[in-house]
Amino acid sequence: DIQMTQSPSSLSASVGDRVTITCRTSRTINTYLNWYQHKPGKAPKLLIYSASNLQSGVPPRFGGSGSGTDFTLTINSLQPEDFATYYCQQSYGTPWTFGQGTKVGIK
Amino acid sequence: QVQLQESGPGLVKPSETLSLTCAVSGGSINSYSWSWIRQPPGKGLEWIGYIYYSGTTHYNPSLESRVTISVDTSKTEFSLKLSSVTAADTAVYYCAREVPLSDIDTFDIWGQGTMVTVSS
């Protein structure tokens, strides 16, 4: 299985901050990497697919980059509705695997 | 707009079979793949497996011996059965639609999840 390591596991930030979350994979996956946002009691939401493509309807303050084994999710100008847990997920090979999540909390 | 809704018992006894259904509304089930994903309390997400609308399945090897996913296109729903459950199977179970975007498989629509507790 491809192992996914996210960092940090949690962070505290203020509205307006720029937030960066990283995801590292145990082997190269080209750009077969997706990012999701998850709020308690809600359905997870696809934010970014293929490492850097913004899903339809997602605000442009969200951005993704990377290829190979190292990937980044950036949130520019954090908004109140962005406080949530973020997961990376690889689609390079089954079984599909997820990072352990990064919880973005209010400072 | 396609929506997914999980349903099933919230409590299952050890050694019994967990059974969940995902109802697909607002769109057709006759395309794409349909997955089950779970999240044990305090842990990360684990992909369980998917079924293609034609009936082809693919399971996580870690669960393959205990998992069956089926689809009923006439009812626009798909189902999960997990046999011989233990406390380790306690989790929130999500159903999700799996679609290729830029040739990358993604989970673009999810249900809200249903909590299943394994306990006597």
Side-chain angles (χ1 to χ4, degrees):
Chain A
D1 297 5
I2 297 174
Q3 306 303 314
M4 315 287 289
T5 304
Q6 275 182 247
S7 61
S9 56
S10 65
L11 63 89
S12 295
S14 299
V15 172
D17 284 353
R18 184 180 192 220
V19 168
T20 299
I21 298 168
T22 63
C23 179
R24 176 164 288 176
T25 59
S26 60
R27 63 176 194 259
T28 185
I29 62 168
N30 197 343
T31 58
Y32 286 70
L33 192 285
N34 306 310
W35 289 96
Y36 301 86
Q37 178 192 66
H38 190 200
K39 299 179 181 178
K42 302 280 191 177
K45 177 182 178 182
L46 175 65
L47 297 176
I48 303 284
Y49 63 92
S50 190
S52 61
N53 292 282
L54 199 66
Q55 171 66 337
S56 176
V58 174
R61 62 180 179 273
F62 290 93
S65 64
S67 66
T69 61
D70 293 291
F71 302 86
T72 300
L73 173 70
T74 301
I75 310 171
N76 291 301
S77 188
L78 195 69
Q79 297 301 298
E81 60 267 31
D82 301 337
F83 293 99
T85 300
Y86 294 84
Y87 295 93
C88 58
Q89 176 252 325
Q90 64 82 18
S91 293
Y92 184 80
T94 57
W96 310 138
T97 48
F98 294 82
Q100 79 278 17
T102 296
K103 185 174 182 178
V104 176
I106 302 171
K107 183 182 285 185
Chain B
Q1 182 173 342
V2 176
Q3 292 185 313
L4 306 180
Q5 180 65 59
E6 305 90 348
S7 63
L11 181 65
V12 181
K13 290 183 168 55
S15 80
E16 295 189 345
T17 296
L18 178 160
S19 295
L20 296 174
T21 296
C22 181
V24 180
S25 60
S28 174
I29 200 170
N30 291 318
S31 57
Y32 306 128
S33 298
W34 304 89
S35 273
W36 286 97
I37 296 157
R38 69 179 183 178
Q39 184 172 33
K43 296 189 177 182
L45 295 161
E46 179 181 34
W47 173 73
I48 298 169
Y50 69 65
I51 187 164
Y52 195 52
Y53 73 94
S54 62
T56 302
T57 55
H58 193 88
Y59 301 135
N60 191 322
S62 68
L63 297 166
E64 187 166 17
S65 63
R66 299 192 292 129
V67 172
T68 302
I69 298 176
S70 59
V71 64
D72 187 334
T73 55
S74 65
K75 293 184 179 179
T76 63
E77 64 184 31
F78 62 106
S79 299
L80 168 70
K81 291 189 185 301
L82 183 65
S83 64
S84 305
V85 297
T86 69
D89 295 309
T90 293
V92 177
Y93 285 77
Y94 298 95
C95 57
R97 188 177 78 169
E98 189 173 325
V99 302
L101 298 176
S102 294
D103 291 330
I104 306 279
D105 287 310
T106 66
F107 301 112
D108 72 327
I109 298 173
W110 298 60
Q112 289 196 313
T114 186
M115 180 69 200
V116 179
T117 301
V118 178
S119 175
S120 55

